[in-house]
Amino acid sequence: MTQPGRPKGPTSATETVVLTAALELLLTEGAQALSAQRLHLATGVARSTIYRHWPTPRTVLAALIEVAPRRVSSPTGEVRADLHAEVDALCDRLRDKPVSGFLHAIVAAAAVDDEMAALRRRYVEDLLAPFRTALAPAGLGDGEREDAVSAIVSPLLLDALLLDRPAARGRAHRMVDAILDGGVPR
C-alpha cells in the first residue's frame, strides 16, 4: 500500500535540473553559490523542495559527487603500462573543466568549512583509487603502495591546484618508472 504525501527523494527530472544548475554555479561562482535561494533562482524549483532534498551546500556537493561519472579503469595486470595509463587519465581529468573546476571549488570550500573537508577527501580518494588498483599486482605492502601513489599523484595535484599550471605528465611518468625500477624515492 502506498502512502500519500511527498516522495522520499526528488523526481529524476528535478534532481537533474537542480544538480546541473548546482554544477554550473559551483564551477562559475564556487561552493558559496550553492544556497537554496541561488538554486531556486537558477532553476525555478521551489526553495522548499531544494531545502527538503539538499538542505545545505554540503549536501548539494555530496549529491554532485554521487552523480559524478566515475572513471572506470580496466587494468591489464601490466603494472607499468597501467600506471602510465592512469597518469595520462588523471592529467587529462585535471586539465578538463568539470573535474578541475570541481576540485578547485571543493578545496576552497574545505578551507573555510570543516564539514567540506570530508567531501574533499572523498573526492580525492576517488581520484587515487585507480592508482591503488594498478599498483596492486606490484607486490608492495600497504604503506609502500600509499607512498608510491602519493609520489606519483601529489605533484600532479600541486600543479593543478596550487600552481595553476598543467599537470606535469612527463614528470609523473618518470616517477612511475623510478618507483617500479628501484622503489619509492625516500
Side-chain angles (χ1 to χ4, degrees):
M1 178 173 163
T2 61
Q3 293 193 343
R6 296 182 171 144
K8 275 188 162 186
T11 66
S12 63
T14 299
E15 182 176 40
T16 298
V17 166
V18 171
L19 294 182
T20 300
L23 180 59
E24 184 61 33
L25 286 170
L26 179 73
L27 295 177
T28 58
E29 299 177 33
Q32 70 280 359
L34 299 180
S35 69
Q37 176 64 24
R38 287 290 283 122
L39 290 168
H40 161 70
L41 291 173
T43 64
V45 173
R47 280 185 308 195
S48 61
T49 299
I50 294 169
Y51 275 120
R52 186 176 338 111
H53 300 299
W54 305 281
T56 65
R58 185 183 164 285
T59 57
V60 175
L61 275 174
L64 286 171
I65 290 172
E66 283 301 315
V67 300
R70 303 267 191 268
R71 183 178 178 288
V72 178
S73 59
S74 302
T76 64
E78 295 179 31
V79 176
R80 190 176 305 265
D82 290 344
L83 283 172
H84 283 295
E86 293 304 336
V87 163
D88 288 338
L90 181 58
C91 288
D92 291 345
R93 292 180 81 195
L94 290 172
R95 178 195 64 216
D96 297 336
K97 179 72 172 179
V99 171
S100 170
F102 190 90
L103 194 51
H104 274 93
I106 202 166
V107 166
V112 295
D113 182 348
D114 291 338
E115 291 184 3
M116 296 289 193
L119 290 175
R120 180 197 60 218
R121 276 190 299 278
R122 183 172 150 204
Y123 191 71
V124 171
E125 286 296 327
D126 286 346
L127 295 176
L128 299 179
F131 288 89
R132 291 184 182 112
T133 301
L135 272 166
L140 301 174
D142 288 343
E144 290 175 311
R145 186 169 50 239
E146 286 306 307
D147 288 349
V149 170
S150 291
I152 296 165
V153 176
S154 294
L156 300 175
L157 294 176
L158 173 73
D159 288 341
L161 290 173
L162 298 177
L163 300 176
D164 285 327
R165 64 184 184 200
R169 187 181 307 252
R171 182 180 60 219
H173 284 298
R174 288 189 301 278
M175 183 58 70
V176 166
D177 292 337
I179 289 167
L180 295 178
D181 291 341
V184 178
R186 304 239 187 261

